[in-house]
Structure formats: structure tokens, C-alpha cells
Amino acid sequence: MRPHVATKIGNASIQVCCRLFPFETDGTSEAIEILALGTLFFPTISAACFRRPLKPPVYRLSRGRPANTDATGRNTGAFREPAQAAPSLKFPVSNAAIRAVRVDARCRSNRPGSTPAVGSFFDRHSPIMQVVVCLTSFNRTDCARISLEIIKLNWAYKWPVVHACSGAGYTRYIEDVLVQREPLPLTAGAADLLLASMRAAVAHFGAEYVVHLEADTWVFDQKVIKRYLQALADRPEAVIAASSWSTDCLPQWTRSPSRGRRLRAQLARVLRPLGFRYGVRERKSISTQFFIARATPAFMDMLADIRVKDDDFLEKILYSAVVERFGQRSIIGMKEREPVHPVFRSSCEPLTLYCQHWPSAEDAPGVDIAPDLNPADRLRGKKECLASAPLMRHGPYMQKLLHSTDLDYYNGNARRSG
């Protein structure tokens, strides 16, 4: 069929489709959506419009030599071999045992001015790149303590941990630095804790890279973080590695009683194989739950300049600030977790990331509360994920979660259904 004939038929068919199936745009390009409607019901038009396969844009990297390479371009970045870690602890434990964990974990942390620490990016051809973990928490303090035990007792490469906490009842555990902050509204509090933890990481340890984790977000395999640290080191223009905080509308559209939304679900299934991310919202965002960033003066200034209100979307504001200051190529996406909602909101096995709010499978939200929750997450909570994790050492708070039959104590009055 000739292109101009297909165009005439397509225009007529699009008008019919629009009258039969009214729909909203929700910020999506109207032209793409209407064109796609025609392709959905008229395969001949689809063949005429999409006769050439779609190819993603090709970006040329900077001609400059990336970090951790020698004059020949060979990558020289490397990690040192892991040191021996502390032995397991039995539960229940005494205060003396907890102090022993604290002392052991601290003595194996990086110290500024000392011998190059295990876990730093370095070799004889390149300078040390200091990595610091920034943990932030409000009322999920039991999650925070277990996260500290994962990092301090099980990660092979020992990095210092700065913990910024706005919970009134929290006392120092095995973090290297505890920063106490005043509680604030949700968005303002999250931004305040993030900035305070990163400032302390730079001030106390001269951090060049920070790994930010919210308290309820556990990452079991340190190799995941090492991989993205290496990616940042290999791309001088990149400043942050993170997933977005995106939402896939397809599950919601599929079960919607609206005929227009169900049509959009069919449309998404047609367009996605062609390279369109139709139906994925909030892509222009950065997950503050877990990210890795260069702690450069420019990045710290950018964070300090962020101003938020109670109803603001911090993930969107951070994305806008990064892109405005450093450009879109400064972001390395974590494709393993895209789109985040609903499938990867509570867990992402490729990243060994688990962030359920419920302590056990018995507390998992039902279908009426979270209809689009990943079915696997209905069968496991933090307790089940921790029990199945290949961790060699269990601290006292891990032991308490694993062996307690009553989990009402866990995280106090923190919300569990979301």
C-alpha cells in the first residue's frame, strides 16, 4: 500500500477509534497515542508506518580518558581482597556482646589518613577513591540496625557508615558516625537526612563516593554496589547511579472497568516491543531509597540548594536538580528495577534489594490493600528474606527477628502496609 493511501485510511480509522474509545492522555504525547491506536486495529497501516525497525539513539562518549585507565585506555581500577570478618553472634545476647560487635565493626572500618582501606577503588596507578555508606532513618530503627549488621558484618569490603536519624529513641549502635536530626514532615525530613548524612560522610571520611540507603532498604550482595561504582568511575560525566521512581500503569489498566483504560493496556502491549515505554509514568525521577553518587563539591552544592515543601515529590525534584546541573548523561540507570512500581517496589532480586515494610509474610498486605503487589512479596516479609539470604554472620538484631514469634516490637508504630 502506498504511504499517502495508508495515511488517508489511517486518518479515517483514527477518528472512528477516538469516537468509540475515549481516553485521557495523562501527559503522554497525543500524537503517539493516536498513531498507535491506528496501528493497533489496522496492521497494514502499521507496516507502512513502521517499515523500518526503531533504533535507540547512539551517544558518543567523551574523548577524554576515563578514570581508572592508563595511557593505553586499559581499565586499571580494582578492589583489594576482602579481610576476615567477625564471627557470628548467638541470640539472646548481652549488652557486652553488642559492644563487642560495635568495637569489632568499627575497628575494621576505613579511617582517613591510615593504610588504604579494604573496599576502596585503588591500585598503584590511580588514587584511592573513598566510599562511605550513608544510612537514613526515622522510625524504622529495627530495620536500620539490621541493615548495619548486613553492611558491617557481612559485606566483604569494609566501608564506614554514617547514619543520620531523626528518631528520638534511637541510640548509637555499630555505625561509625551517628548524626541526630530533628524530625520534620516526610519530604522535608527525607531531604534533611540525606544532606546531613552526606555532609558528615565528606567531613569525617573525605568521601568521594556515597552509597545511600534508607533504613528499610537492605542490599545483601555488595557486588551489586561495586558494579555501579565501577560504572561511575568509568564514566567521568556520570555523577549518580540509581533507578527512577517510576510506575507501570499496565496492571491498573488491565483490571480497570473502564473500556478506554483496557484499550490503553492493549495499546501498551503493542507499543512496548517497538521501543516505546507507553504507560510508564514518573520516569523523570531518581529513587532516593537507594543510589550511589559522587560526593563532589558541585553535587553537594546541588543538594544544599534543594528546597522542598510537604507535598513535593522529592524523587522528581532530585532528578530535575541533577539534570539541570549536570545533564541527563550524568545519570546511570539501574535497569534491573525499571519500572519500580508495582513489581519492584518491595523487592528487586537482581539487585538483592529488599524493602518490604512488613516484618513477616503474615503481615503482608492483602489484595484489597495492594492489588498489584508482586505475588512473591505476599509470601515473604523481612524475616523470610533475611532467613533465605546467603549471609555468613548474624548480629543480635538479625537473630531477634529470625527467632521471635511475636513481631509486634518490630519498628514500633511504623506503617507496615505499603
Side-chain angles (χ1 to χ4, degrees), residues 285-320:
S285 57
I286 291 177
S287 170
T288 57
Q289 191 181 58
F290 167 50
F291 66 79
I292 305 164
R294 295 182 194 267
T296 62
F299 190 86
M300 297 302 297
D301 290 343
M302 179 210 70
L303 281 182
D305 290 340
I306 289 179
R307 298 291 182 269
V308 296
K309 300 176 183 178
D310 292 349
D311 56 347
D312 282 343
F313 196 153
L314 181 58
E315 290 81 1
K316 283 185 175 181
I317 292 176
L318 180 59
Y319 175 89
S320 298

Side-chain angles (χ1 to χ4, degrees), residues 14 30-40 45 49-50 267:
I14 287 167
E30 229 177 44
I32 293 178
E33 192 162 14
I34 293 175
L35 174 63
L37 278 171
T39 65
L40 179 64
I45 302 173
C49 295
F50 298 111
L267 183 55

